[in-house]
């Protein structure tokens, strides 16, 4: 803009010199034109500012992490003249700070424009997508008029539910069947499939899938699953920076959801337990079918790492007692001596599986491997997509 202003001042000065050197009708017209043009340009731009209409929408208000979110902007020029250069300042959700984006455009008289943007969230959480300000430049690029839009929408980014069976090749329904989660015609509720066993009702046979698998497959109703495992998430803060802490917390929650889904598809229900800062206590969710799992992911979208009570140790002790028959599944980024002590105590009460996000301290992993009824698998918290499949299978292959 500064370049245009300097150019205009130079042209105006030249017009003044020309009018003084060559007094006449032409020089006067030129001087008046250069003097009046900025005012006319300003008036047109001010009118356009009032005449423009803005609206925006998002494809969904809840999206899974790393999935694209579509943002649509609707703009209409209700002025009889075309607009000059216009740009919108938009704020996309970021973890520690907002990421600004600028959209530059111009519109013909009464023209409507739809702009589509795509954003992918790096971490789970609640964010604002907003269009804060629009700037209008006049035709001469001498003025810039500002209009506050204050358009914003809140989105919830949930942790991912990683389907280990889709990678490892367990005998389950096809990808299409899993996605649709077809309703059981008898029970009217979401179900999963498994191999036919003696005593199963033939009315529950999934004929279409049986033909593909060359074996009889039957629907497994959610009500037939029992809570045989308790998955406890350790959200005690880990990491130096805010982004590292967020990465560890995301990894813990996504690993726990992956284990819950793995259990579900192998006829085992789970109780998913994690700390909810809003309630100041542990939240326990039965995950016996997909609606439960989606609900758990939604609730886990806003949980934060924390320090203090209830500690991971006390939370586990609350779940496992002498009368408890459930298997203990501990998802933690802290492979320290306290974890080893906890595993030893729990191993006397139930089977213990530890999914360790990161590496254990020196000697801790070796000690855990010596404990009876304890299985340990390590996962890189920054690469769980590639390692979670092998880690879960290792946990269930040892005991």
């Amino acid at each position: 803009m500064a370049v245009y202003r300097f150019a205009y001042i130079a042209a105006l000065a030249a017009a003044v010199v020309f009018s003084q050197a060559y007094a006449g009708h032409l020089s006067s017209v030129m001087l008046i034109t250069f003097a009046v043009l900025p005012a006319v340009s300003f008036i047109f731009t001010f009118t356009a500012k009032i005449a423009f209409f803005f609206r925006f929408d998002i494809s969904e208000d809840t999206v899974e992490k790393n999935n694209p979110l579509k943002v649509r902007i609707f703009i209409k020029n209700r002025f009889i003249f075309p607009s000059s250069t216009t740009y919108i300042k938009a704020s996309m959700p970021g973890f520690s700070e907002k990421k600004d984006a600028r959209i530059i455009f111009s519109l013909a008289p009464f023209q409507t424009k739809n702009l589509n943007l795509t954003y992918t969230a790096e971490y789970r959480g609640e964010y604002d997508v907003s269009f804060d300000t629009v700037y209008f430049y006049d035709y001469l690029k001498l003025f810039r008029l500002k209009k506050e839009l204050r358009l914003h929408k809140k989105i919830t980014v949930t942790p991912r539910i990683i389907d280990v069976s889709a990678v490892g090749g367990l005998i389950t329904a096809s990808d299409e069947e899993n996605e649709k989660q077809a309703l059981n015609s008898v029970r009217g509720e979401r179900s999963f499939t498994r191999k036919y066993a003696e005593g199963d009702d033939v009315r529950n046979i999934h004929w279409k899938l049986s033909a593909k698998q060359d074996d009889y497959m039957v629907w497994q109703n959610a009500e037939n699953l029992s809570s045989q495992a308790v998955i406890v998430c350790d959200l005690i803060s880990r990491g130096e920076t805010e982004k590292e802490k967020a990465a560890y917390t995301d990894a813990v929650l996504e690993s726990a959801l992956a284990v819950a889904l793995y259990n579900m598809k192998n006829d085992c229900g789970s109780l998913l337990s994690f700390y909810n800062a809003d309630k100041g206590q542990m939240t326990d969710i039965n995950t016996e079918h997909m609606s439960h799992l989606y609900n758990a992911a939604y609730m886990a979208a806003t949980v934060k790492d924390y320090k203090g009570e209830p500690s991971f140790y006390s939370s586990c002790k609350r779940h496992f007692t002498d009368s408890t028959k459930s298997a203990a599944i501990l998802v933690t980024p802290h492979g320290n001596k306290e974890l080893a002590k906890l595993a030893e105590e729990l191993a006397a009460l139930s089977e213990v599986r530890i999914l360790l996000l990161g590496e254990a301290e020196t000697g801790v992993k070796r000690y855990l491997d010596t404990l009876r009824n304890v299985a340990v698998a390590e996962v890189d918290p920054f690469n769980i997509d590639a390692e979670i499949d092998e880690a879960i299978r290792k946990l269930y292959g040892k005991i």
Side-chain angles (χ1 to χ4, degrees), residues 165-179:
S165 65
V167 179
L170 289 182
I171 299 178
T172 60
S174 65
D175 291 340
E176 181 180 355
E177 294 286 348
N178 283 333
E179 182 178 350

Side-chain angles (χ1 to χ4, degrees), residues 102-113:
R102 294 185 178 183
I103 307 163
I104 302 174
F105 61 94
S106 60
L107 292 180
F110 302 107
Q111 182 184 2
T112 298
K113 182 182 288 289

Side-chain angles (χ1 to χ4, degrees), residues 13-14 30-31 54 124 134 138 148 152 193 195 205 212 226 247-249 277 279 301 359 389:
M30 183 180 296
L31 179 60
F54 297 89
R124 62 181 181 80
V134 59
D138 71 300
E148 297 291 343
H152 68 91
T193 54
K195 284 187 176 183
I205 294 178
K212 293 180 180 179
S226 59
Y248 272 106
T249 304
K279 296 182 178 180
E359 296 182 355
D389 174 72

Side-chain angles (χ1 to χ4, degrees), residues 282-345:
M282 299 296 290
T283 294
D284 300 332
I285 305 175
N286 277 309
T287 55
E288 296 184 333
H289 52 79
M290 284 303 297
S291 63
H292 291 162
L293 207 58
Y294 289 135
N295 182 49
Y298 183 81
M299 295 183 66
T302 56
V303 302
K304 300 176 177 63
D305 61 310
Y306 72 105
K307 294 181 180 179
E309 290 293 335
S311 66
F312 178 59
Y313 183 88
S314 60
S315 299
C316 291
K317 295 291 287 184
R318 176 175 67 89
H319 281 295
F320 304 103
T321 63
D322 292 335
S323 60
T324 301
K325 301 302 180 183
S326 302
I329 303 175
L330 315 181
V331 185
T332 176
H334 301 282
N336 50 29
K337 294 180 180 179
E338 185 177 17
L339 175 65
K341 179 182 177 182
L342 174 63
E344 184 178 19
E345 292 182 21

Side-chain angles (χ1 to χ4, degrees), residues 60-118:
E60 50 192 329
D61 55 13
T62 301
V63 63
E64 192 176 78
K65 191 180 84 172
N66 290 346
N67 280 357
L69 175 72
K70 294 181 180 179
V71 181
R72 296 180 293 269
I73 313 164
F74 174 80
I75 309 164
K76 185 173 183 179
N77 179 12
R78 298 180 293 189
F79 192 35
I80 60 175
F81 292 99
S83 70
S84 182
T85 303
T86 307
Y87 78 81
I88 300 176
K89 182 180 179 182
S91 294
M92 295 297 187
F95 174 70
S96 57
E97 59 184 12
K98 289 186 176 181
K99 300 177 181 179
D100 291 337
R102 294 185 178 183
I103 307 163
I104 302 174
F105 61 94
S106 60
L107 292 180
F110 302 107
Q111 182 184 2
T112 298
K113 182 182 288 289
N114 289 298
L115 302 176
N116 295 307
L117 303 176
T118 302

Side-chain angles (χ1 to χ4, degrees), residues 255-270:
S255 298
L257 290 169
V259 173
L261 181 57
Y262 179 90
N263 285 345
M264 192 186 305
K265 290 194 169 185
N266 286 275
D267 303 333
C268 174
S270 304

Side-chain angles (χ1 to χ4, degrees), residues 7-19:
Y8 171 76
I9 292 173
L12 180 61
V16 172
V17 172
F18 182 71
S19 66

